[in-house]
Amino acid sequence: MSAVSGTEPSPAAGGRVFFQTPLAAASAPASREDSPQVMVAAAQQHKQQQQRRQQQGKVTVKYDRKELRKRLVLEEWIVEQLSELYGCEEEEMPEVEIDIDDLLEASSEEERVVKLQESLVDCYKPTEEFINQLLSRIRGMRKLSPPQKKDI
């Protein structure tokens, strides 16, 4: 509680009583949590966190979702076709690697055919139809590259 500054009101004070802050509160600095500097710093930190969240969201948007969806559908089709070619389920299938980006980087259609034939060398069924269908499905696709980070 506060202490009274004087026992009798002074004539200049007009009969008013003045209070002083308690000695403990007067000697201690104002609470750090309530100071304007701390409040400004907290607001700036909150704003920076919101900007980081927005930037993180932008990174995921930089991937072309339509292109990713096409790629996923194509990969599922490849697995299904390989299961038919090898006559087994995906888990039992021999190690076959068909890299779509590698095929897209090939300079010619013939080079793509050779790469696919090398990947399917262990297959005992004819692969020409699969290769032709795959090459027609990848026409117009682009190689996926990691998203570019924006400079802040």
Side-chain angles (χ1 to χ4, degrees):
M1 191 106 193
S2 309
V4 177
S5 62
T7 55
E8 292 188 6
S10 67
R16 295 185 194 168
V17 178
F18 295 96
F19 294 93
Q20 293 179 335
T21 57
L23 291 178
S27 63
S31 172
R32 291 201 59 166
E33 293 176 8
D34 296 337
S35 71
Q37 294 86 3
V38 172
M39 294 175 84
V40 168
Q44 287 175 342
Q45 184 180 15
H46 180 71
K47 186 177 179 180
Q48 288 173 346
Q49 288 173 345
Q50 283 181 329
Q51 287 175 340
R52 278 191 221 117
R53 282 189 214 119
Q54 288 174 347
Q55 289 169 354
Q56 289 170 350
K58 288 179 184 176
V59 171
T60 58
V61 173
K62 289 192 80 158
Y63 284 110
D64 184 1
R65 289 183 182 186
K66 187 176 180 181
E67 193 69 27
L68 284 172
R69 184 74 186 142
K70 286 165 96 176
R71 181 69 61 106
L72 179 62
V73 168
L74 178 63
E75 289 175 358
E76 289 172 348
W77 178 82
I78 289 172
V79 169
E80 181 182 308
Q81 294 300 310
L82 290 175
S83 294
E84 287 181 23
L85 282 174
Y86 284 93
C88 61
E89 296 297 319
E90 183 179 353
E91 297 82 25
E92 302 163 351
M93 196 179 316
E95 187 69 31
V96 178
E97 183 177 335
I98 296 177
D99 186 347
I100 297 169
D101 287 330
D102 189 39
L103 292 174
L104 293 172
E105 286 179 349
S107 58
S108 69
E109 195 82 7
E110 290 79 27
E111 188 179 342
R112 291 176 180 156
V113 170
V114 169
K115 287 182 178 195
L116 285 169
Q117 286 173 339
E118 288 173 357
S119 296
L120 300 169
V121 73
D122 294 337
C123 185
Y124 60 89
K125 291 184 179 178
T127 59
E128 292 80 23
E129 185 179 339
F130 167 72
I131 291 173
N132 290 333
Q133 286 181 1
L134 177 57
L135 293 178
S136 69
R137 287 175 179 251
I138 66 170
R139 278 190 197 101
M141 289 184 83
R142 295 175 294 167
K143 181 182 176 205
L144 289 181
S145 57
Q148 302 295 320
K149 289 187 178 180
K150 285 187 175 181
D151 292 331
I152 299 173

